[in-house]
Amino acid sequence: MAGTTQPSAIDDILAEHAGLELQLSDPALHNDPAAARRVGKRFAELAPIMATYTKLQSAQEDLEAARELAADDASFAAELPDLEAVVAELDVALTDLLAPRDPHDGDDVVLEVKSGEGGEESALFASDLARMYVRYAERHGWRVEVLDATISDLGGYKDATISIKSKGDVRDGVWARLKFEGGVHRVQRVPVTESQGRVHTSAAGVLIYPEPEEVEEVQIDETDLRIDVYRSSGKGGQGVNTTDSAVRITHLPTGIVVTCQNERSQLQNKARAMQVLAARLQAAAEEAADAEASAGRQSQVRTVDRSERIRTYNFPENRITDHRIGFKAHNLDAVLDGDMDALLDALGKSDREARLAAE
């Protein structure tokens, strides 16, 4: 194959795709719904690679035919530059698709937003961030569920836990798009509590971790858990204040605390909280076992301090700045309304370039 793609890499993909196709055509596979979902998900992940490879093959054949015709008739030479450009473009696209990938890219996520320095203003900003992610998810047709939230006096979020899930089998799931959001987010604006009109700086933190459909690696010992039930509060539908349905689970060995009060019953809240706990324990286990993953996640929140930030939201200038890649844009209002694709595309491109450079 011409260009920069690695023949061995595409050969491996072709063989895997053929094997998955055979598995999917076997009725026995569908007797195991979990296995069928895994195979179907991986098959869907490979679909963009196969489509691009097929287009590249066709373009290369057209180019080769045009070169043979041009050798006999110079009038056909005019077509060569356009065909060469198409081949080059597809070759770059295939190389990008074959770049090393984060194994969690197809996963759903649990996202936590926490207020930090700045009191009520920080809590209001945390709610702005939560709304930004919810609006972005809605633009992409993802399912959003607020699992738990602590509301401040002015209606902001002291903390909130949100589950975001994609619909159907996709190559790039929610994690692939939002995994760069973990860290300290800084805001510069005039708070609603400021009577003199002065611009203040405060911060809120975002933690994000993948929530695979099935968490198989983590075994949770019930004796390691402390489970508390309490009365739900805040938004959650009619009747949330009439029963002790909210659940708080503390994993004693690690100190991880998960709460859920969104579901209708105590049993449902416990089940959902256990799923979140399993995902958090899996993320922690991967960080401990994999030094590279641990280093890559050091950008996540350690202390919600203004000086340790990944991004600044400057309201007076309507400007958003991502300090990791030098991204700047003057459409802060649109970004906070969920128009995050340009920002996330830039972060994804930087990540892919780093992965390719590390090969």
Side-chain angles (χ1 to χ4, degrees):
M1 179 181 296
T4 58
T5 52
Q6 300 294 321
S8 59
I10 192 60
D11 287 346
D12 290 343
I13 294 295
L14 292 172
E16 183 183 4
H17 187 267
L20 292 169
E21 203 164 28
L22 281 175
Q23 290 184 62
L24 288 169
S25 65
D26 183 356
L29 173 69
H30 302 279
N31 293 330
D32 183 347
R37 281 195 301 271
R38 284 195 297 271
V39 173
K41 182 176 181 179
R42 180 57 179 162
F43 189 76
E45 288 175 352
L46 296 184
I49 299 176
M50 294 301 298
T52 303
Y53 174 70
T54 301
K55 289 179 183 177
L56 178 57
Q57 277 193 314
S58 178
Q60 287 175 325
E61 290 170 0
D62 290 344
L63 177 59
E64 188 61 32
R67 283 173 174 165
E68 291 177 0
L69 291 170
D72 297 327
D73 186 344
S75 65
F76 287 99
E79 300 178 17
L80 296 179
D82 287 343
L83 291 171
E84 289 168 348
V86 170
V87 169
E89 182 180 344
L90 289 169
D91 191 69
V92 169
L94 184 58
T95 299
D96 184 53
L97 288 169
L98 291 173
R101 287 171 50 79
D102 184 329
H104 290 298
D105 273 353
D107 289 343
D108 300 321
V109 307
V110 173
L111 184 148
E112 297 180 16
V113 182
K114 299 177 180 292
S115 62
E117 290 186 1
E120 283 290 348
E121 164 62 6
S122 176
L124 290 169
F125 177 52
S127 68
D128 290 338
L129 290 176
R131 178 180 178 275
M132 176 180 73
Y133 296 125
V134 169
R135 292 301 302 273
Y136 182 74
E138 289 171 348
R139 286 169 180 252
H140 287 265
W142 296 339
R143 298 189 299 272
V144 178
E145 182 183 8
V146 179
L147 302 178
D148 189 60
T150 304
I151 310 297
S152 71
D153 292 340
L154 294 182
Y157 279 151
K158 292 181 180 179
D159 57 73
T161 304
I162 302 171
S163 167
I164 306 178
K165 297 179 179 292
S166 62
K167 293 183 177 179
D169 293 330
V170 292
R171 171 179 167 83
D172 287 334
V174 184
W175 176 257
R177 295 299 285 169
L178 295 182
K179 62 184 174 183
F180 309 108
E181 292 304 296
V184 175
H185 297 241
R186 184 177 69 170
V187 62
Q188 295 172 326
R189 66 182 175 187
V190 179
V192 295
T193 55
E194 168 59 52
S195 60
Q196 303 297 320
R198 293 171 298 187
V199 173
H200 288 227
T201 299
S202 62
V206 174
L207 286 166
I208 186 167
Y209 38 92
E211 185 183 16
E213 187 173 347
E214 296 177 26
V215 182
E216 300 173 341
E217 294 84 350
V218 178
Q219 298 295 322
I220 301 176
D221 189 338
E222 290 279 344
T223 61
D224 288 337
L225 304 179
R226 185 177 72 237
I227 301 176
D228 303 304
V229 296
Y230 57 98
R231 188 156 295 178
S232 298
S233 61
K235 298 177 181 179
Q238 295 180 346
V240 294
N241 292 316
T242 61
T243 60
D244 292 335
S245 61
V247 173
R248 179 189 298 110
I249 299 178
T250 304
H251 186 251
L252 299 174
T254 61
I256 292 175
V257 179
V258 175
T259 60
C260 185
Q261 61 175 322
N262 186 64
E263 305 295 344
R264 287 286 180 180
S265 72
Q266 184 184 123
L267 211 58
Q268 289 173 318
N269 278 322
K270 180 184 176 183
R272 193 69 183 91
M274 286 294 289
Q275 288 178 325
V276 174
L277 175 61
R280 288 191 62 173
L281 288 172
Q282 176 174 279
E286 289 177 356
E287 289 179 10
D290 188 335
E292 182 178 352
S294 178
R297 292 191 178 106
Q298 285 180 359
S299 63
Q300 299 250 0
V301 181
R302 293 183 287 277
T303 59
V304 185
D305 180 87
R306 288 192 297 265
S307 62
E308 187 181 348
R309 83 283 190 210
I310 63 167
R311 189 176 301 150
T312 296
Y313 303 72
N314 186 303
F315 276 70
E317 299 179 13
N318 195 35
R319 172 172 50 82
I320 185 167
T321 304
D322 194 288
H323 304 287
R324 296 165 294 181
I325 58 173
F327 177 93
K328 290 185 180 181
H330 288 83
N331 65 335
L332 175 57
D333 50 350
V335 172
L336 287 173
D337 196 41
D339 186 6
M340 300 178 67
D341 278 325
L343 168 63
L344 298 180
D345 285 345
L347 286 163
K349 179 181 179 184
S350 176
D351 180 63
R352 288 191 299 274
E353 290 174 349
R355 288 176 180 273
L356 284 170
E359 278 194 290

